[in-house]
Amino acid sequence: MINIAIIGAGDIAEVHADSFLMFPDICRIKAIADIYQDKAKDIICRKGLEHAKSYKTMEDVLQEEKIDLVSICLPPALHAEASAKALNAGCHVLVEKPMAASLEECDMMLKAAEKNKKLLSVVCQNRFKTPMKRIRQLIKDETAGKVKHVMINSLWWRGEHYHDLWWRGTWEKEGGGCFTSQTVHHIDLMIWMLGMPSAVTSVIKNVAHSNSEVEDVGVAILEYPDLLAHIVSSIVDHGEEQEMIFQTEKAKLNIPWNPKADYALPNGYRAEYTEYEARIDKLYKSIPALDLEGHPAHIRNMLMAILGKEELMTDGQEGRKTLEIITAIYKASVLRKRVVLPISDDDDFYKKEGVLSHMPKFHQKTTSVENFKKTEISLGRDVGR
Ligand SMILES: NC(=O)c1ccc[n+]([C@@H]2O[C@H](COP(=O)([O-])OP(=O)(O)OC[C@H]3O[C@@H](n4cnc5c(N)ncnc54)[C@H](O)[C@@H]3O)[C@@H](O)[C@H]2O)c1
């Protein structure tokens, strides 16, 4: 039986708890910790976690309980230290996105995992979605030829009060704005499909959130040797119509799925190639659907990897790659320069202090609340369709 501790009892902790509860034969939640201990108690009570005790801190949990896997659901600035502590205490770690507040912190976490021979995974629940699996396979197999142009509309909408929560809307505690907190999902998916780009250019702004230091809209251009990708990141877009478009040599492959294909007339103009669209649609639908998606699927893979029954599908190195691109986006935007990857460990932006010293505060954060009243959260409107 794998003993679980969930650290941080906020919004996403509920999703973790529900996911672990789906596998009662292989794991049980033994502890939930939160500085507001009542929040931990509340989850235990509402979800009927009969094996779990509430704690105030992770240190208390690790002292009192024998834990195998720690799920870190803390604000971003606390991910690195908590992960390293849990790994050094001999636990495996699943940490929420973004992996950490800097590349230096990511490397510290990776070293702790390696030293203690423990698994470290960063939540990327959208890799565990049927449309993503299908599109990735078509891209990897070059079924419709090579990818030439990628457009990602990572469009979200958040109201003014979103940043009132104490850790949001600050470079210090959230680590960034929409690129760090929302578009992190799409960047992770892009890396999973295409690998790392060679260079990044970008512009970021804050156009609608006056209680926030960080960006609420931005555009990044990513260069690969034979393709160009651009990402629009925003939390000012009504409807949250998110889309990933991969233009390949023979067809447009996209999420939400709606493939298109053209062929060239003798004069070079286009004609619709509906037979090919039907063929690619059939191939896409022939790739088996996943039996489980999202957080539960990621968590099941982590549990099975701990038991030695499956390979860990996504390790800490993957989370670091996403953070490297986000760091490059911030560096390019503030220096107004094209940033060539990788970012070395003597780069100003490798360390958190370097990032903090460079990034503009778009506004002064003036309102800060400790907790919101419990309401629903959204995890991406079209990411999984
Ligand atoms: N994967 C996703 O789709 C997804 C969605 C939402 C949030 N997240 C991520 O999950 C993390 C948490 O986000 P959230 O929305 O749940 O935030 P939240 O503020 O609702 O929850 C964080 C909790 O941590 C507690 N906490 C803070 N410091 C602590 C400490 N030192 N020890 C113990 N508890 C402490 C807070 O009291 C709070 O209850 C963030 O990194 C966020 O980006 C991921």
Side-chain angles (χ1 to χ4, degrees), residues 88-116:
N88 287 329
C91 306
H92 302 287
V93 166
L94 176 67
V95 58
E96 263 299 341
K97 60 76 187 167
M99 181 168 175
S102 71
L103 292 170
E104 182 186 41
E105 290 186 356
C106 292
D107 288 341
M108 190 256 288
M109 294 158 78
L110 290 166
K111 274 188 199 138
E114 198 185 358
K115 188 179 93 192
N116 296 291

Short mmCIF file of all heavy atoms in Angstrom, two decimals, residues 88-116:
data_model
loop_
_atom_site.label_atom_id
_atom_site.label_comp_id
_atom_site.label_asym_id
_atom_site.label_seq_id
_atom_site.Cartn_x
_atom_site.Cartn_y
_atom_site.Cartn_z
N ASN A 88 14.49 14.28 0.11
CA ASN A 88 15.58 13.98 1.05
C ASN A 88 15.09 13.16 2.24
O ASN A 88 15.88 12.48 2.90
CB ASN A 88 16.25 15.27 1.54
CG ASN A 88 17.11 15.90 0.45
OD1 ASN A 88 17.66 15.19 -0.40
ND2 ASN A 88 17.20 17.22 0.44
N ALA A 89 13.78 13.21 2.48
CA ALA A 89 13.22 12.37 3.56
C ALA A 89 12.87 10.98 3.03
O ALA A 89 12.27 10.16 3.73
CB ALA A 89 11.98 13.04 4.14
N GLY A 90 13.21 10.71 1.77
CA GLY A 90 13.01 9.37 1.22
C GLY A 90 11.66 9.14 0.58
O GLY A 90 11.24 7.99 0.39
N CYS A 91 10.96 10.22 0.22
CA CYS A 91 9.64 10.07 -0.42
C CYS A 91 9.75 10.35 -1.92
O CYS A 91 10.61 11.10 -2.37
CB CYS A 91 8.65 11.08 0.15
SG CYS A 91 8.51 11.02 1.94
N HIS A 92 8.85 9.75 -2.69
CA HIS A 92 8.67 10.15 -4.08
C HIS A 92 7.85 11.45 -4.07
O HIS A 92 7.10 11.69 -3.10
CB HIS A 92 7.91 9.08 -4.86
CG HIS A 92 8.59 7.74 -4.83
ND1 HIS A 92 9.72 7.46 -5.54
CD2 HIS A 92 8.28 6.60 -4.15
CE1 HIS A 92 10.10 6.21 -5.32
NE2 HIS A 92 9.24 5.66 -4.47
N VAL A 93 7.97 12.24 -5.15
CA VAL A 93 7.27 13.53 -5.16
C VAL A 93 6.53 13.76 -6.49
O VAL A 93 7.10 13.58 -7.56
CB VAL A 93 8.27 14.71 -4.92
CG1 VAL A 93 7.64 16.05 -5.28
CG2 VAL A 93 8.75 14.71 -3.47
N LEU A 94 5.27 14.14 -6.33
CA LEU A 94 4.49 14.65 -7.46
C LEU A 94 4.22 16.11 -7.12
O LEU A 94 3.61 16.40 -6.09
CB LEU A 94 3.16 13.90 -7.58
CG LEU A 94 2.22 14.42 -8.67
CD1 LEU A 94 2.80 14.19 -10.06
CD2 LEU A 94 0.85 13.74 -8.58
N VAL A 95 4.71 17.02 -7.96
CA VAL A 95 4.56 18.44 -7.63
C VAL A 95 3.73 19.12 -8.72
O VAL A 95 3.85 18.81 -9.89
CB VAL A 95 5.95 19.12 -7.45
CG1 VAL A 95 6.83 19.01 -8.69
CG2 VAL A 95 5.81 20.59 -7.07
N GLU A 96 2.87 20.04 -8.27
CA GLU A 96 2.01 20.75 -9.23
C GLU A 96 2.86 21.66 -10.12
O GLU A 96 4.00 21.98 -9.82
CB GLU A 96 0.95 21.57 -8.48
CG GLU A 96 -0.39 20.87 -8.38
CD GLU A 96 -1.03 20.54 -9.75
OE1 GLU A 96 -0.65 21.15 -10.76
OE2 GLU A 96 -1.92 19.68 -9.81
N LYS A 97 2.28 22.03 -11.25
CA LYS A 97 2.93 23.00 -12.14
C LYS A 97 2.78 24.40 -11.54
O LYS A 97 1.87 24.60 -10.75
CB LYS A 97 2.31 22.94 -13.54
CG LYS A 97 0.78 23.24 -13.60
CD LYS A 97 0.46 24.69 -13.48
CE LYS A 97 -0.97 25.04 -13.37
NZ LYS A 97 -1.22 26.44 -12.94
N PRO A 98 3.62 25.37 -11.88
CA PRO A 98 4.89 25.22 -12.57
C PRO A 98 5.89 24.54 -11.62
O PRO A 98 5.76 24.66 -10.40
CB PRO A 98 5.29 26.68 -12.83
CG PRO A 98 4.67 27.44 -11.70
CD PRO A 98 3.38 26.75 -11.40
N MET A 99 6.88 23.85 -12.20
CA MET A 99 7.77 23.05 -11.37
C MET A 99 8.37 23.87 -10.22
O MET A 99 8.41 23.40 -9.08
CB MET A 99 8.89 22.48 -12.25
CG MET A 99 9.87 21.61 -11.50
SD MET A 99 10.90 20.74 -12.70
CE MET A 99 12.08 19.92 -11.64
N ALA A 100 8.85 25.06 -10.52
CA ALA A 100 9.51 25.88 -9.48
C ALA A 100 9.56 27.32 -9.96
O ALA A 100 9.02 27.65 -11.01
CB ALA A 100 10.92 25.34 -9.24
N ALA A 101 10.28 28.15 -9.18
CA ALA A 101 10.33 29.57 -9.53
C ALA A 101 11.56 29.92 -10.35
O ALA A 101 11.71 31.06 -10.77
CB ALA A 101 10.30 30.40 -8.24
N SER A 102 12.47 28.97 -10.56
CA SER A 102 13.66 29.25 -11.38
C SER A 102 14.28 27.94 -11.85
O SER A 102 14.02 26.87 -11.28
CB SER A 102 14.70 30.02 -10.57
OG SER A 102 15.26 29.16 -9.60
N LEU A 103 15.15 28.06 -12.84
CA LEU A 103 15.85 26.87 -13.33
C LEU A 103 16.80 26.34 -12.27
O LEU A 103 17.00 25.13 -12.14
CB LEU A 103 16.61 27.21 -14.62
CG LEU A 103 15.70 27.51 -15.80
CD1 LEU A 103 16.48 28.08 -16.97
CD2 LEU A 103 14.94 26.25 -16.22
N GLU A 104 17.37 27.26 -11.49
CA GLU A 104 18.26 26.81 -10.40
C GLU A 104 17.48 25.92 -9.42
O GLU A 104 17.96 24.86 -9.01
CB GLU A 104 18.82 28.04 -9.67
CG GLU A 104 19.78 27.65 -8.56
CD GLU A 104 20.23 28.85 -7.72
OE1 GLU A 104 19.40 29.73 -7.40
OE2 GLU A 104 21.41 28.89 -7.37
N GLU A 105 16.27 26.34 -9.10
CA GLU A 105 15.44 25.53 -8.19
C GLU A 105 15.09 24.17 -8.82
O GLU A 105 15.08 23.15 -8.14
CB GLU A 105 14.16 26.29 -7.83
CG GLU A 105 14.41 27.49 -6.92
CD GLU A 105 13.11 28.15 -6.45
OE1 GLU A 105 12.01 27.73 -6.88
OE2 GLU A 105 13.21 29.07 -5.63
N CYS A 106 14.78 24.18 -10.12
CA CYS A 106 14.49 22.89 -10.80
C CYS A 106 15.68 21.95 -10.66
O CYS A 106 15.51 20.76 -10.37
CB CYS A 106 14.23 23.11 -12.30
SG CYS A 106 12.74 24.01 -12.68
N ASP A 107 16.88 22.50 -10.88
CA ASP A 107 18.07 21.64 -10.82
C ASP A 107 18.30 21.10 -9.41
O ASP A 107 18.73 19.96 -9.23
CB ASP A 107 19.29 22.40 -11.35
CG ASP A 107 19.21 22.58 -12.86
OD1 ASP A 107 18.44 21.83 -13.50
OD2 ASP A 107 19.88 23.47 -13.40
N MET A 108 17.99 21.92 -8.42
CA MET A 108 18.12 21.47 -7.03
C MET A 108 17.16 20.29 -6.77
O MET A 108 17.52 19.29 -6.16
CB MET A 108 17.79 22.66 -6.13
CG MET A 108 18.08 22.49 -4.68
SD MET A 108 16.57 22.20 -3.75
CE MET A 108 15.78 23.78 -3.77
N MET A 109 15.94 20.38 -7.30
CA MET A 109 14.95 19.30 -7.14
C MET A 109 15.41 18.03 -7.87
O MET A 109 15.31 16.92 -7.34
CB MET A 109 13.59 19.74 -7.70
CG MET A 109 12.96 20.87 -6.92
SD MET A 109 11.73 21.79 -7.89
CE MET A 109 10.32 20.70 -7.82
N LEU A 110 15.91 18.22 -9.08
CA LEU A 110 16.35 17.05 -9.86
C LEU A 110 17.51 16.35 -9.17
O LEU A 110 17.57 15.11 -9.14
CB LEU A 110 16.76 17.50 -11.28
CG LEU A 110 15.59 17.95 -12.17
CD1 LEU A 110 16.08 18.70 -13.39
CD2 LEU A 110 14.75 16.74 -12.58
N LYS A 111 18.42 17.15 -8.60
CA LYS A 111 19.56 16.55 -7.90
C LYS A 111 19.08 15.76 -6.68
O LYS A 111 19.58 14.67 -6.39
CB LYS A 111 20.54 17.64 -7.46
CG LYS A 111 21.52 17.99 -8.56
CD LYS A 111 22.62 18.92 -8.07
CE LYS A 111 23.26 19.61 -9.27
NZ LYS A 111 23.53 21.02 -9.07
N ALA A 112 18.11 16.32 -5.96
CA ALA A 112 17.60 15.63 -4.76
C ALA A 112 16.95 14.30 -5.15
O ALA A 112 17.11 13.28 -4.47
CB ALA A 112 16.60 16.52 -4.02
N ALA A 113 16.24 14.29 -6.28
CA ALA A 113 15.60 13.04 -6.74
C ALA A 113 16.67 12.02 -7.11
O ALA A 113 16.57 10.84 -6.73
CB ALA A 113 14.71 13.33 -7.95
N GLU A 114 17.68 12.49 -7.79
CA GLU A 114 18.74 11.58 -8.24
C GLU A 114 19.50 11.01 -7.04
O GLU A 114 19.72 9.80 -6.94
CB GLU A 114 19.67 12.35 -9.18
CG GLU A 114 20.52 11.43 -10.02
CD GLU A 114 21.54 12.21 -10.85
OE1 GLU A 114 21.58 13.45 -10.81
OE2 GLU A 114 22.32 11.52 -11.52
N LYS A 115 19.86 11.91 -6.14
CA LYS A 115 20.65 11.50 -4.96
C LYS A 115 19.90 10.45 -4.14
O LYS A 115 20.48 9.48 -3.68
CB LYS A 115 20.94 12.74 -4.10
CG LYS A 115 21.92 12.47 -2.96
CD LYS A 115 22.19 13.71 -2.14
CE LYS A 115 21.23 13.76 -0.97
NZ LYS A 115 21.16 14.98 -0.23
N ASN A 116 18.62 10.66 -3.99
CA ASN A 116 17.83 9.75 -3.13
C ASN A 116 17.17 8.61 -3.91
O ASN A 116 16.42 7.82 -3.33
CB ASN A 116 16.76 10.56 -2.39
CG ASN A 116 17.37 11.56 -1.44
OD1 ASN A 116 17.96 11.18 -0.44
ND2 ASN A 116 17.30 12.84 -1.77
#
